[in-house]
Amino acid sequence: MSVLVIVGAGPRGTGLLERIAANAPELLPADRPLHVHLVDPHPPGAGRIWRHDQSPLLRMNSMAEDVTMFTDEHSTIEGPVRPGPSLAEWARRRHGFAPYREVADPAVRAELRTLAPTDFPTRRAQSAYLDWVFRRAVADLPPHVTVTVHRDTVRRIDGPADGPQTVHLGDRTLTADHVALTLGHLDSTPHPRHDADADFAARHGRFHLPPAYTADADLTGLAPGEHTVLRGLGLAAVDLITLLTEGRGGHYEPTPDGLRYHPSGREPVLHLGSRRGVPYHSKTGYRLQGPPAPLPRYFGAAAVDAVLATGGPLELRRDVWPLMAKEVGFGYYHELFHAHPERTALPWAGFLARYDRYGWYTPELAALVAEAVPDPADRLDFERLDRPLAGTELRSADELQAHLRAYITADADRRADPAHSADLGAFLALLSLFGQLPRVIGSGLLTARSIAEEVDGWFFGYFNHLASGPPGFRLRQLLALSEAGVVRFLGAGIRITRNEADGTWRASGTTVPGHTVTATALIEAYLPKHTIGRTADPVLQDLHHTHRVVEEVLTDEEYTHHSGLIAISPHDSRLIDPALNGAPHPRRTAMGPHTTLRAASAFARPRTNSLGFRQNDSTARTLLQTMATHPTPALAI
């Protein structure tokens, strides 16, 4: 019997197990049994991040119909496609007429009973879906593949590269032919740049929260009415604001003009600022109004081949982004011309023929768009979307509050109005970029500085700002909180200093020169960035300390940057091991956001040919082929 230990039983581990179930009938003979151990202290399927045990106020930032764990007809994988329901389809199939016995929480059962495809589900509803996906994956395994789940933590892995691996849990050891690390989103100890604020808070008895996953953050130290600075305006900030307002007993009342917030009196006063100074753009709440754009057109395999054939060195913004931008523009204008032709001045075929000929940043394309799209508000402007407060200087804090409320209202209105469905066309084209972007990153042709500052820095940050924002109702709530005086905006270019004289932080921004607020609490309102050197995960700590993993170091003649990511083989996801002269370890695999295969999500939007699903499939096939041809006999389980 062969043995596989999967460390991490959340969505990534579940996705790998689903692909093992799909591929085993073809690749693993019935006389070569396989036993799989899944190890995770949290519930299998959901794992830590999506566990049921978190606030019912926290929601996904995806509509129910846009969340799936299953491959489909658009998946370019070698293994068999095994379609399955999206979260929305599952809720209807499993719970539309069922007695709801499978979901213990009555609130989740009630939510699933009425869940619409375009609703933004609670995280608890996603937890129930992932639990079902896990159980289905186990049920789909052939009889000669069996599973044991351990609600435990792996502390250490050792063993020779050419022999069995010993996996040390809290109270036992497992012996395995192969170990797959599917650890998901992990904590790191705070970056040293947070030390000064932590020490300051400790000296003065103040509240300071470094980057943390919202469901795990201890917010009890914040007093009612305490002036608190939140640095960050992304999803983590939105969730923290929810827990500090509704989570403390406040409630919203619908009004003819939107929402009114009724404070409980237990809320702190929240001062919000970031580099951009505005929240992430909200998710669209509608579907495409026209036919889907045939993607990719400008950033497909052939186009990337041509870029890579130049031999480099390449820079993302100079050499690659113009093609990416043109692809996103294609998705945007395809929807605008097909769904809203009354707002265009040229026929689509004529526009596209000329669009094909010009680069994104050429004056010829700008002139074409100006000719074809009369209203400037209907034209795609990446720079304006990226930095909407750039160059804005206001005279007072009150003027800033009014300006930001108007901006947020306009954004929420636009993302709720199908008349602007071209934004969704751009979003879908933006997602399609990840079909080829990993090839560019892994080519070795991008400069080290470009990967560190343009890919990991600018692009992924811009992607999140543009495409990974909160549901629109969260922005409506933010407006109500602002009107109630619970939330106050600081603007762009946030700067925070410490005042030792009175133990307070002073926060200011560039949007209102000279305006400063004083606070007795500071929250870094963004998620921790996992790095191997500061990992809080015990098995990665041990592998790092024993020099059995390689941290990606981006370097060239002019630049060196430690990314904190674990190096894996791009072909089969095996861990690069310095003890093997930098070769892939034949018995250890790693998958997830802590590895050098960037942007491989554990679940995905249907029909988008998910990179994560492709990685799951190729890794599962490699594991099964290895165990079918080189089993280790008589391993203890």
Side-chain angles (χ1 to χ4, degrees), residues 438-512:
R439 286 184 59 209
V440 177
I441 299 171
S443 68
L445 298 177
L446 284 177
T447 66
R449 185 182 297 275
S450 182
I451 295 176
E453 298 180 2
E454 296 182 330
V455 177
D456 292 344
W458 171 75
F459 177 73
F460 283 115
Y462 185 34
F463 174 86
N464 290 334
H465 172 64
L466 189 63
S468 192
F473 73 85
R474 290 295 194 206
L475 293 192
R476 307 288 186 190
Q477 292 175 346
L478 192 60
L479 288 169
L481 292 169
S482 173
E483 295 283 0
V486 175
V487 157
R488 301 177 185 176
F489 300 108
L490 289 167
I494 185 173
R495 181 173 181 268
I496 300 173
T497 59
R498 296 172 291 276
N499 187 342
E500 290 287 353
D502 59 3
T504 61
W505 284 279
R506 306 292 172 85
S508 60
T510 58
T511 313
V512 183

Side-chain angles (χ1 to χ4, degrees), residues 214-564:
T214 310
D216 299 320
D218 182 2
L219 303 173
T220 56
L222 280 174
E226 183 167 15
H227 285 263
T228 304
V229 172
L230 271 69
R231 178 160 36 197
L233 274 167
L235 292 179
V238 169
D239 285 345
L240 286 163
I241 292 166
T242 299
L243 295 180
L244 290 168
T245 53
E246 274 192 288
R248 291 196 170 189
H251 69 279
Y252 296 94
E253 174 193 3
T255 70
D257 299 323
L259 292 176
R260 177 182 294 115
Y261 182 71
H262 294 275
S264 69
R266 298 170 55 213
E267 302 90 344
V269 178
L270 303 173
H271 300 273
L272 313 183
S274 68
R275 286 175 297 176
R276 290 187 180 90
V278 298
Y280 284 3
H281 290 286
S282 65
K283 282 292 187 72
T284 55
Y286 47 73
R287 299 174 175 135
L288 286 176
Q289 307 299 294
L295 302 168
R297 185 177 181 90
Y298 306 102
F299 197 65
V304 171
D305 286 344
V307 172
L308 300 183
T310 63
L314 302 175
E315 296 179 8
L316 184 84
R317 296 290 290 266
R318 182 191 67 199
D319 302 308
V320 186
W321 169 248
L323 287 175
M324 299 164 68
K326 191 172 180 179
E327 187 77 86
V328 178
F330 171 66
Y332 179 91
Y333 289 117
H334 185 280
E335 174 67 8
L336 181 69
F337 274 75
H338 286 82
H340 314 288
E342 72 282 359
R343 306 208 312 261
T344 64
L346 292 176
W348 169 247
F351 173 84
L352 183 60
R354 293 166 62 185
Y355 187 88
D356 280 340
R357 296 199 295 267
Y358 305 136
W360 179 257
Y361 287 106
T362 62
E364 291 85 357
L365 190 136
L368 169 63
V369 170
E371 176 187 353
V373 184
D375 188 348
D378 282 332
R379 301 171 193 165
L380 185 59
D381 184 338
F382 289 111
E383 285 65 39
R384 176 178 53 82
L385 289 170
D386 192 10
R387 300 288 178 179
L389 294 182
T392 300
E393 286 194 4
L394 304 175
R395 293 170 294 180
S396 68
D398 288 343
E399 189 176 349
L400 172 63
Q401 308 315 304
H403 185 88
L404 264 294
R405 284 197 289 265
Y407 169 87
I408 293 169
T409 299
D411 185 64
D413 287 349
R414 182 180 177 103
R415 294 304 180 103
D417 186 353
H420 296 288
S421 63
D423 291 346
L424 179 56
F427 168 78
L428 295 174
L430 193 59
L431 289 183
S432 78
L433 300 180
F434 291 101
Q436 296 296 325
L437 185 59
R439 286 184 59 209
V440 177
I441 299 171
S443 68
L445 298 177
L446 284 177
T447 66
R449 185 182 297 275
S450 182
I451 295 176
E453 298 180 2
E454 296 182 330
V455 177
D456 292 344
W458 171 75
F459 177 73
F460 283 115
Y462 185 34
F463 174 86
N464 290 334
H465 172 64
L466 189 63
S468 192
F473 73 85
R474 290 295 194 206
L475 293 192
R476 307 288 186 190
Q477 292 175 346
L478 192 60
L479 288 169
L481 292 169
S482 173
E483 295 283 0
V486 175
V487 157
R488 301 177 185 176
F489 300 108
L490 289 167
I494 185 173
R495 181 173 181 268
I496 300 173
T497 59
R498 296 172 291 276
N499 187 342
E500 290 287 353
D502 59 3
T504 61
W505 284 279
R506 306 292 172 85
S508 60
T510 58
T511 313
V512 183
H515 173 62
T516 301
V517 301
T518 299
T520 54
L522 172 62
I523 294 176
E524 304 293 351
Y526 46 91
L527 298 180
K529 180 182 179 182
H530 181 265
T531 63
I532 185 60
R534 295 183 286 106
T535 183
D537 182 79
V539 68
L540 290 184
Q541 279 183 353
D542 183 73
L543 290 171
H544 179 59
H545 292 158
T546 57
H547 307 291
R548 300 308 302 265
V549 293
V550 174
E551 177 184 7
E552 180 189 52
V553 179
L554 305 168
T555 186
D556 53 34
E557 294 179 356
E558 301 177 352
Y559 185 85
T560 298
H561 174 73
H562 294 257
S563 74

Side-chain angles (χ1 to χ4, degrees), residues 567-585:
I568 60 172
S569 166
H571 307 294
D572 54 19
S573 302
R574 295 183 192 266
L575 274 172
I576 303 300
D577 191 335
L580 303 177
N581 295 318
H585 195 293

Side-chain angles (χ1 to χ4, degrees), residues 18-59:
E18 188 276 333
R19 289 289 83 200
I20 289 173
N23 285 285
E26 172 196 350
L27 300 178
L28 192 69
D31 61 353
R32 300 286 178 87
L34 169 65
H35 191 76
V36 181
H37 294 275
L38 286 104
V39 187
D40 197 315
H42 299 286
R48 172 195 170 197
I49 300 300
W50 299 100
R51 68 190 188 273
H52 176 272
D53 183 22
Q54 57 185 297
S55 171
L57 295 172
L58 299 178
R59 290 182 179 260

